[in-house]
Amino acid sequence: NAGVTQTPKFQVLKTGQSMTLQCAQDMNHNSMYWYRQDPGMGLRLIYYSASEGTTDKGEVPNGYNVSRLNKREFSLRLESAAPSQTSVYFCASSESWGDNEQFFGPGTRLTVL
Amino acid sequence: AQTVTQSQPEMSVQEAETVTLSCTYDTSESDYYLFWYKQPPSRQMILVIRQEAYKQQNATENRFSVNFQKAAKSFSLKISDSQLGDAAMYFCAYTYMNRDDKIIFGKGTRLHILP
């Protein structure tokens, strides 16, 4: 039982390049989330997926797109990376009913030059 | 709107001493969860302790305990017998109960343990 996994762990991009961050969970959770963490800002929600087949914008969705590929996987795509997207990205998952405890992946450190 | 406030950006405590991290929140809901998460240098987010708002008894997990004051909307974390491994960022968080909704985090408190 690996919990929540994310790839890659580190990535450096040039401005304008695109990339996809992958996230998978093996806990059969319905809900999945993407956050970014910046110094002094805490965690900010980018997008979330309450259940398979649905996605919704969070607090800071601009410049990102997501895909809930299936119940296990939830990817985050940067179509044209900008230096302002330099951050640490966390994926998380949770049960959809009752318990709203979220389980986090190890994070991806992204640098955009 | 729901908000979570951690007023202490950084704190230091001597090893083996006790430290309390503050958290206040604002909500109009009556049923919700509160959490404390720990983020060590490895960046993994680890759930330390959680509290259901309908429970009057304060949650305890080994050396970690909370002081939950619902009327005051306060949720502080007490770490007893501090250890070097407790050094980390600590995030207070709030989420609704029984809803598919997001979790709201404070900005975090960086805790230093002095040997």
Side-chain angles (χ1 to χ4, degrees):
Chain A
N1 189 338
V4 180
T5 57
Q6 289 181 235
T7 56
K9 290 187 177 181
F10 301 94
Q11 183 70 50
V12 179
L13 294 177
K14 294 181 179 178
T15 297
Q17 287 185 315
S18 63
M19 78 160 295
T20 299
L21 279 64
Q22 306 288 351
C23 174
Q25 52 91 9
D26 61 3
M27 295 173 283
N28 202 36
H29 286 167
N30 288 308
S31 300
M32 297 185 74
Y33 311 80
W34 275 106
Y35 295 91
R36 58 178 290 172
Q37 182 185 17
D38 302 293
M41 298 296 292
L43 287 170
R44 292 185 291 170
L45 183 66
I46 304 171
Y47 271 93
Y48 68 100
S49 171
S51 61
E52 186 179 356
T54 69
T55 61
D56 288 282
K57 294 179 180 180
E59 182 182 358
V60 288
N62 292 342
Y64 305 95
N65 284 301
V66 291
S67 295
R68 184 74 183 268
L69 305 172
N70 47 57
K71 191 171 186 179
R72 289 187 63 250
E73 299 172 288
F74 187 40
S75 63
L76 178 72
R77 183 162 178 82
L78 287 70
E79 290 291 351
S80 180
S84 61
Q85 293 178 306
T86 294
S87 187
V88 180
Y89 292 85
F90 287 95
C91 177
S93 70
S94 69
E95 291 282 355
S96 62
W97 177 256
D99 187 350
N100 278 310
E101 177 182 353
Q102 294 194 3
F103 295 80
F104 286 82
T108 296
R109 183 175 294 278
L110 175 66
T111 301
V112 183
L113 303 174
Chain B
Q2 285 75 12
T3 59
V4 176
T5 303
Q6 293 179 249
S7 58
Q8 305 151 315
E10 286 195 68
M11 292 190 72
S12 297
V13 63
Q14 208 74 33
E15 193 176 3
E17 296 294 310
T18 296
V19 63
T20 299
L21 280 58
S22 301
C23 173
T24 59
Y25 59 95
D26 188 23
T27 182
S28 58
E29 302 280 338
S30 58
D31 294 326
Y32 48 87
Y33 290 101
L34 294 164
F35 305 92
W36 277 99
Y37 281 92
K38 171 185 177 181
Q39 187 184 40
S42 66
R43 296 186 285 121
Q44 188 85 3
M45 293 286 280
I46 303 165
L47 178 64
V48 174
I49 200 165
R50 74 171 191 171
Q51 174 85 40
E52 290 92 338
Y54 66 85
K55 289 186 177 179
Q56 293 185 332
Q57 186 174 4
N58 288 325
T60 299
E61 199 69 43
N62 299 317
R63 296 183 294 108
F64 299 87
S65 62
V66 296
N67 182 4
F68 173 49
Q69 298 183 18
K70 191 172 184 178
K73 296 179 182 175
S74 172
F75 184 61
S76 60
L77 174 69
K78 186 172 82 171
I79 306 174
S80 303
D81 186 26
S82 298
Q83 300 176 2
L84 294 177
D86 295 333
M89 281 289 289
Y90 286 83
F91 292 95
C92 179
Y94 162 100
T95 191
Y96 305 101
M97 188 171 283
N98 296 334
R99 282 171 60 178
D100 294 332
D101 213 327
K102 55 185 176 289
I103 189 167
I104 301 165
F105 285 86
K107 291 186 177 182
T109 297
R110 183 171 297 282
L111 179 64
H112 302 279
I113 310 296
L114 306 174

